[in-house]
Amino acid sequence: MTTPARQWSTPDGIREELDLTLFIPCLNEEKCVVPTIETVRAAMDGLAYSYEILVTDDGSRDRTANVVEEYIQANPGVSVRLHRNPGNSGLARSFVDASFRGRGRYLRLICGDNVEPKESMAAILGRLGQADIIIPYYPVVPGKSASRLFISSFYTRIVNLLSGHRLHYYNGHPLYRRYDVMRWASYNYGFGFQADLLTTLLDEGAMHQELALAAVHREKGRGTSSVNLRNFLSVTSSLLEITSRRLKRYFYPPKPAGPVAPPAVPAPLPPSAPLHIMNDATTREPQYQHSLELVKESGPASLGLMTNQAWHDDPRHLVFTLSRYKFVAKMLADRAHVLEVGCGDAFGTRIVAQSVKRLTATDFDPVFVADVTRRMDPQWRFECKAHDMLSGPFPGRYDGAYALDVIEHIEPKDEQNFVSNIVKSLTREGVLLLGCPSLQSQAYASPPSKAGHVNCKTGDTMRTLLSQYFHNVFIFSMNDEVVHTGYTPMAHYLIGVACTRKDA
Amino acid sequence: MNTTPAVPPRDDEPVPPGVVEALDLTMFVPCYNEEARITGTLETIKAAMAEVPCTYEVIVVDDGSNDRTAAVIEEFCRTNPDMPVRLHKNQRNLGLSRSFVDTAFRSRGRYYRLVCGDNVEPRGSMVKILRAIGSADIIIPYYPVLPGKSGVRKFISRLYTTLVDLLGGYRINYYNGCALYRRFHVMRWASYNYGFGFQAHLITTLLDEGATYTQVPLEGFHLTKDRGSPLNLRNFLSTGHTLIEIFIRRLRRTFYGN
């Protein structure tokens, strides 16, 4: 298994022997199924995962099953298994059945008509282990009629509206944890089963990543039948189910886990393999020996969830992020108690903690708070709590507060609420820093980094927002890691520094 | 412990490769503030299992108790090292149906049964159910006579059964007893979404899927403590939801076949 270690273990009742199960459902695909298997193999060639291919013949009337059997016989070294449904069971049901038959830690559906290019497949599968769900979407779909585009986007909007989540596309084929499909999928839904499964998993706090892909052009018009009475009923049933879960969450929110224990001192991480090799090593220059001693004593530090991804996808972006924290650290130096709002994995928070007397970090996502707590270094301890600033002010009084890369994710209608709740926790002399990508920069942003940006600021709108609460507002520009006072429309990033509360 | 199942697998339904079956039976014992009764429950299970020749494990789930339930169970495990009992603590109260499904994924038995943590079921009844293991996919208990249950409660219970039978198109005597299931069936078909009605939902789903069943009459037992009334808004909504779902499946079966 080459899958990165995850925070939770396999339940006793299920078997995980491989990294990945690829499930290929087929209905009359005698011509396409073998090319599909070949595409999968070509995509997997570049990836170091153990995998198996499960083909389900969902009641084909052509030679699909024979073709697959012949392929298996001719390629004994390839792990392909064939299952024949007695009749036509449909996609949703075959998918869940396959999750029980598979043995991979992750699971993905690949359509049996070989529409997905090897490159898209490799892009999704290459992210295995980076989140619980890797969700593809297609920013541009050439050749799809306007009415189909409208229906598709309408469906996404409805599901987002009803579920309270915000995804780009519910009907792509995400990469799931196989256990998540076994545990949470319902066989009851036809066309809408993916929306039901995705929203359920998000309700359960699953980590997800969205991935923009070039659209797949379907050569045959198989989608024509997706608008019919049965699908309409089935989708309605999925939507009702999603709504009832939302209502349940709203009216009967999960009870809190009782008093929260103070973060435990984490046990030193077990040294990974290369460090074993280094156990008796000494460095050639004695002044570097301390670096070996430190790792032996306290183990290697690990990156947080987001920094890990940045370091993986775009290493220099980490520099930009950290330099923003350094700017905050300089502005808030020697403050008594500072509040960070939207800390994410809080990797850069230590830089601010180094300059201030006390620091409390908050994020609205408990997944990140758990990650921060797990990695907390006793020498650089700060408090980290889950809190949604839109639900009310965070308890306590702070003489400094900052939110980096948060305001652009807050809907414009909620921004007053967001800022005023932070301001309520500030002392009279408190300072607030807000940082976000400039609106002008979005023309150059990649689709994944643009995802969720609904409220980027210009220099003027940043000033207007902060001026409602503070007498003094200073706007700084940033390009890459450099902070300056240059022309804001040409800045990539903006930081507003505000002080002297108007209401105090 | 012998880990070869004593109950032969049915030929027509092999265990899916992704599922582990290493024992005959998993007993799932949910507890919420049962410090006074959980030891008695485990003693009853121990006595019952002495009469039934199958390999088993007991998984006790402490569903967010604020009393000493977990400590009492840990103490029991220490003093009964020969009995295969494991404790799982939920971080917070998750409710019965959700713990029921969660535990199916955490356990390793071929069959699966819920035993209430408040020690209400006598050893004899437990043995009677367990002796039927392997004779059908679902062994469903029912209680022809219920001493001590008020007329109103009996009426509501009867009404519920009749409604589920009517909407689902089956004829089962009682949906809320603790049936014995194939564990795989619980993993595959149970939905966590239903509160009080989850058993009716699961049983009717399995019957839709062509599962075999037998019904076993048991002597009604007297509840020694008041579990609180199940009549509240949340249960009403949850049950309504279950009934709608059962009815939708029935309609689907009628109009589109299975």
Side-chain angles (χ1 to χ4, degrees):
Chain A
M1 304 264 303
T2 53
T3 310
R6 303 295 302 278
Q7 285 183 40
W8 50 297
S9 53
T10 312
D12 284 351
I14 74 168
R15 214 181 290 282
E16 282 184 356
E17 295 167 343
L18 300 165
D19 290 324
L20 179 62
T21 296
L22 293 158
F23 162 59
I24 306 181
C26 293
L27 177 65
N28 300 329
E29 297 291 3
E30 61 179 8
K31 288 202 179 64
C32 296
V33 63
V34 166
T36 306
I37 297 174
E38 291 292 349
T39 309
V40 169
R41 286 181 63 190
M44 293 306 297
D45 268 349
L47 301 165
Y49 302 128
S50 55
Y51 71 102
E52 62 181 349
I53 298 173
L54 300 187
V55 180
T56 293
D57 177 18
D58 198 12
S60 296
R61 289 177 306 270
D62 67 357
R63 295 189 64 254
T64 300
N66 308 55
V67 169
V68 175
E69 274 169 359
E70 284 157 23
Y71 184 86
I72 292 171
Q73 274 170 7
N75 296 274
V78 187
S79 175
V80 181
R81 280 188 284 153
L82 170 68
H83 177 83
R84 292 176 201 220
N85 285 340
N88 183 270
S89 300
L91 188 61
R93 170 139 189 191
S94 299
F95 182 61
V96 186
D97 281 346
S99 74
F100 280 83
R101 275 194 210 101
R103 293 167 302 140
R105 171 166 282 219
Y106 292 86
L107 172 70
R108 182 164 186 247
L109 186 157
I110 310 271
C111 293
D113 53 356
N114 198 27
V115 284
E116 192 178 39
K118 179 185 81 161
E119 292 72 23
S120 302
M121 235 179 251
I124 295 168
L125 300 176
R127 299 218 175 189
L128 184 146
Q130 290 184 19
D132 297 322
I133 329 170
I134 311 292
I135 309 166
Y137 69 99
Y138 306 93
V140 184
V141 189
K144 202 168 186 174
S145 72
S147 63
R148 293 282 294 278
L149 282 175
F150 174 78
I151 291 176
S152 175
S153 124
F154 181 67
Y155 177 73
T156 305
R157 274 158 200 270
I158 289 230
V159 176
N160 279 339
L161 184 75
L162 295 177
S163 71
H165 297 292
R166 185 184 289 270
L167 292 184
H168 288 95
Y169 190 47
Y170 285 94
N171 282 325
H173 297 300
L175 174 62
Y176 295 100
R177 277 284 309 238
R178 185 172 61 91
Y179 166 72
D180 282 337
V181 178
M182 297 170 78
R183 178 65 184 83
W184 300 110
S186 164
Y187 81 103
N188 253 336
Y189 307 104
F191 188 74
F193 88 102
Q194 296 240 57
D196 184 55
L197 176 57
L198 283 171
T199 53
T200 303
L201 290 176
L202 296 181
D203 288 354
E204 291 295 318
M207 292 186 294
H208 71 282
Q209 271 184 17
E210 291 193 279
L211 178 61
L213 291 180
V216 178
H217 182 62
R218 278 199 190 274
E219 283 172 10
K220 42 179 175 175
R222 64 164 48 203
T224 45
S225 63
S226 70
V227 183
N228 61 42
L229 178 66
R230 186 168 186 182
N231 273 340
F232 177 77
L233 293 173
S234 156
V235 169
T236 308
S237 154
S238 295
L239 294 178
L240 286 175
E241 200 61 33
I242 289 168
T243 311
S244 82
R245 260 192 288 113
R246 174 96 184 264
L247 291 174
K248 193 169 111 173
R249 216 161 78 218
Y250 184 78
F251 287 108
Y252 300 103
K255 292 168 201 151
V260 180
V265 180
L269 295 167
S272 55
L275 292 171
H276 272 303
I277 300 166
M278 285 162 33
N279 252 350
D280 301 320
T282 49
T283 54
R284 283 180 70 171
E285 292 172 279
Q287 68 268 29
Y288 301 126
Q289 187 61 25
H290 179 63
S291 58
L292 280 184
E293 302 300 327
L294 179 66
V295 163
K296 275 189 216 164
E297 260 170 49
S298 10
S302 61
L303 296 169
L305 289 172
M306 286 166 146
T307 33
N308 179 60
Q309 190 201 333
W311 195 236
H312 183 272
D313 292 351
D314 185 6
R316 74 177 149 241
H317 199 269
L318 201 53
V319 178
F320 310 161
T321 309
L322 295 179
S323 72
R324 291 165 200 161
Y325 277 93
K326 188 185 165 228
F327 179 77
V328 172
K330 286 285 177 183
M331 294 296 112
L332 297 180
D334 292 331
R335 296 267 150 184
H337 194 177
V338 168
L339 177 69
E340 173 166 8
V341 179
C343 65
D345 70 11
F347 189 78
T349 303
R350 191 184 290 188
I351 297 170
V352 180
Q354 195 177 7
S355 300
V356 304
K357 296 200 173 74
R358 186 178 166 197
L359 192 145
T360 298
T362 63
D363 197 279
F364 86 134
D365 190 337
V367 169
F368 287 113
V369 173
D371 175 52
V372 175
T373 310
R374 188 178 63 81
R375 291 181 293 105
M376 190 66 73
D377 186 325
Q379 197 185 329
W380 295 106
R381 187 179 296 283
F382 53 85
E383 290 166 80
C384 188
K385 297 264 169 66
H387 176 74
D388 183 355
M389 200 48 80
L390 294 179
S391 67
F394 188 71
R397 301 289 284 168
Y398 305 86
D399 54 355
Y402 63 101
L404 296 175
D405 296 289
V406 184
I407 190 80
E408 73 270 26
H409 297 276
I410 306 288
E411 292 277 357
K413 68 178 171 46
D414 295 326
E415 67 175 22
Q416 301 286 345
N417 185 19
F418 177 77
V419 177
S420 73
N421 280 337
I422 301 178
V423 171
K424 279 174 195 154
S425 302
L426 282 180
T427 58
R428 221 156 57 93
E429 62 280 8
V431 177
L432 173 64
L433 286 94
L434 290 184
C436 76
S438 68
L439 185 61
Q440 291 86 349
S441 73
Q442 294 303 289
Y444 310 98
S446 63
S449 87
K450 257 198 295 204
H453 287 185
V454 293
N455 194 16
C456 288
K457 296 290 176 197
T458 62
D460 289 341
T461 53
M462 177 72 97
R463 180 183 297 280
T464 309
L465 175 63
L466 287 168
S467 298
Q468 294 174 47
Y469 302 93
F470 295 92
H471 289 293
N472 302 304
V473 175
F474 311 94
I475 302 292
F476 291 83
S477 302
M478 265 187 105
N479 287 85
D480 288 5
E481 70 275 21
V482 180
V483 184
H484 55 89
T485 50
Y487 186 51
T488 54
M490 288 177 75
H492 210 101
Y493 194 88
L494 297 168
I495 298 182
V497 182
C499 59
T500 324
R501 283 172 61 172
K502 283 190 168 167
D503 59 342
Chain B
M1 188 169 56
N2 175 19
T3 53
T4 314
V7 186
R10 277 177 24 166
D11 292 340
D12 57 339
E13 196 178 30
V15 191
V19 176
V20 175
E21 280 188 2
L23 301 164
D24 292 326
L25 175 66
T26 296
M27 304 265 223
F28 156 59
V29 183
C31 292
Y32 182 66
N33 295 337
E34 295 293 0
E35 59 177 10
R37 293 163 196 274
I38 182 61
T39 305
T41 309
L42 293 171
E43 296 286 1
T44 308
I45 292 176
K46 195 175 183 180
M49 292 313 296
E51 295 182 39
V52 186
C54 58
T55 55
Y56 75 104
E57 64 182 345
V58 178
I59 301 195
V60 187
V61 174
D62 178 12
D63 198 10
S65 299
N66 11 2
D67 68 355
R68 290 188 64 257
T69 300
V72 171
I73 296 162
E74 277 162 2
E75 180 57 27
F76 182 89
C77 293
R78 265 195 297 279
T79 51
N80 294 269
D82 55 328
M83 188 174 168
V85 181
R86 278 191 288 159
L87 169 65
H88 178 87
K89 296 184 206 182
N90 285 343
Q91 294 288 311
R92 55 184 172 85
N93 186 274
L94 294 177
L96 186 60
S97 66
R98 170 139 186 194
S99 297
F100 182 70
V101 189
D102 280 348
T103 306
F105 278 85
R106 281 194 204 105
S107 54
R108 295 170 306 141
R110 180 171 182 75
Y111 291 90
Y112 187 70
R113 183 166 187 245
L114 185 163
V115 175
C116 296
D118 52 357
N119 199 22
V120 286
E121 190 178 46
R123 179 186 52 80
S125 301
M126 221 180 268
V127 170
K128 199 167 172 187
I129 293 275
L130 295 180
R131 280 200 195 288
I133 202 169
S135 63
D137 295 326
I138 328 171
I139 317 293
I140 308 170
Y142 67 99
Y143 306 93
V145 186
L146 277 172
K149 201 166 186 174
S150 74
V152 180
R153 294 284 287 272
K154 272 185 194 159
F155 171 76
I156 291 173
S157 176
R158 196 64 241 150
L159 179 73
Y160 177 74
T161 306
T162 311
L163 255 182
V164 177
D165 278 347
L166 185 74
L167 295 175
Y170 297 105
R171 189 172 290 273
I172 299 293
N173 291 315
Y174 189 48
Y175 286 96
N176 282 325
C178 296
L180 176 69
Y181 298 97
R182 276 286 307 261
R183 184 173 61 90
F184 163 64
H185 284 163
V186 176
M187 294 167 77
R188 179 67 183 82
W189 300 110
S191 166
Y192 82 103
N193 251 336
Y194 306 100
F196 187 74
F198 82 97
Q199 293 232 66
H201 185 264
L202 177 57
I203 289 174
T204 52
T205 304
L206 291 176
L207 296 180
D208 287 357
E209 291 294 317
T212 56
Y213 70 97
T214 53
Q215 303 195 77
V216 179
L218 295 180
E219 272 177 47
F221 46 77
H222 185 61
L223 275 182
T224 44
K225 73 164 187 183
D226 184 14
R227 293 192 187 185
S229 168
L231 305 180
N232 59 45
L233 177 66
R234 186 170 184 177
N235 273 338
F236 179 78
L237 291 174
S238 156
T239 306
H241 185 181
T242 306
L243 294 178
I244 290 172
E245 198 61 33
I246 289 171
F247 189 57
I248 287 176
R249 263 196 284 110
R250 172 97 182 267
L251 290 178
R252 204 176 70 167
R253 217 161 74 221
T254 310
F255 289 107
Y256 295 107
N258 230 336

